[in-house]
Amino acid sequence: MSEPTIQSDPAITEFCRQLNAGPNDLVETIESFKDLKVLVIGDTIFDRYAYVSVHGLTSKNRIISGRYLNEESQCGGALAVMRHVLQFSPQSKFISLVGTEDWVDPVLAEVLRPEQDLVLREDSFTTIIKQRYVEPQSEGKELSKLFSVNFIDAEAPKEDVLQRLHDRIEEEIAKADV
């Protein structure tokens, strides 16, 4: 019985040959990331998915009618990046701007240890949520996206908030390797 062959893009194959690295080299390189001090800076976005079973259109207004099934939230934006970075570099820190909604701190605490959390909380800022209403499809198929509602401020943060964020970045960036 012959070994199965894997077809790949010739450019990718050539790139891998030029790397001239074996599996042990890759593991060693990944292990070396654990000592890096990474500073992740960016927007914290929470992706919420409300699952509904669509019944059709209402008779009076021609709008979609559906039955609520359940909801789930996921960390998005730079917070999703931070979750991945932490797998390789546990000394990483995170700078972002969020609001002071009651649910924000418990969610951040699930992802960030106190020494990693450099997030600026601001009363005048709305934490960004991308709320999507979706209909589940059969296993292995993409969700049927019905519509989305974004919770985001119409105006940029106030100048004093931006200055505090800038000061925090300036203070922490000098301590980071990446």
Side-chain angles (χ1 to χ4, degrees), residues 15-38:
F15 174 78
C16 292
R17 280 195 185 111
Q18 289 178 6
L19 286 177
N20 197 20
N24 291 338
D25 297 323
L26 181 60
V27 170
E28 188 177 303
T29 300
I30 291 171
E31 285 294 319
S32 74
F33 297 161
K34 75 179 187 300
D35 297 324
L36 285 176
K37 294 175 188 150
V38 178

Side-chain angles (χ1 to χ4, degrees), residues 24-173:
N24 291 338
D25 297 323
L26 181 60
V27 170
E28 188 177 303
T29 300
I30 291 171
E31 285 294 319
S32 74
F33 297 161
K34 75 179 187 300
D35 297 324
L36 285 176
K37 294 175 188 150
V38 178
L39 181 61
V40 176
I41 304 169
D43 288 329
T44 297
I45 299 170
F46 292 97
D47 296 310
R48 286 192 184 154
Y49 294 89
Y51 295 91
V52 298
S53 173
V54 175
H55 293 174
L57 297 175
T58 62
S59 59
K60 295 180 182 179
N61 296 316
R62 293 195 38 83
I63 58 173
I64 295 173
S65 173
R67 183 174 57 85
Y68 175 86
L69 300 172
N70 61 10
E71 187 172 290
E72 70 178 13
S73 294
Q74 299 173 6
C75 297
L79 191 55
V81 171
M82 178 65 173
R83 289 182 60 221
H84 294 294
V85 167
L86 286 172
Q87 299 298 309
F88 301 99
S89 302
Q91 296 182 64
S92 300
K93 294 183 179 183
F94 183 66
I95 295 179
S96 190
L97 175 63
V98 298
T100 56
E101 298 90 350
D102 292 342
W103 57 268
V104 173
D105 279 334
V107 174
L108 289 176
E110 290 176 15
V111 179
L112 304 170
R113 296 189 314 268
E115 67 273 12
Q116 297 167 329
D117 183 348
L118 303 175
V119 176
L120 184 64
R121 280 107 169 132
E122 178 57 43
D123 288 334
S124 65
F125 187 78
T126 301
T127 303
I128 301 170
I129 302 169
K130 292 185 176 183
Q131 173 84 48
R132 295 172 183 94
Y133 291 82
V134 298
E135 183 176 37
Q137 299 295 308
S138 61
E139 190 67 33
K141 290 194 174 183
E142 190 172 321
L143 296 171
S144 176
K145 298 170 186 144
L146 304 172
F147 67 95
S148 176
V149 176
N150 296 324
F151 296 78
I152 188 167
D153 292 332
E155 303 293 325
K158 296 176 185 171
E159 195 60 40
D160 65 314
V161 173
L162 293 175
Q163 186 60 52
R164 286 198 311 274
L165 190 58
H166 177 270
D167 293 346
R168 185 162 292 177
I169 292 168
E170 282 292 315
E171 180 182 333
E172 294 298 327
I173 206 162

Side-chain angles (χ1 to χ4, degrees), residues 6-17:
I6 299 173
Q7 299 293 323
S8 69
D9 183 317
I12 294 172
T13 302
E14 182 57 30
F15 174 78
C16 292
R17 280 195 185 111

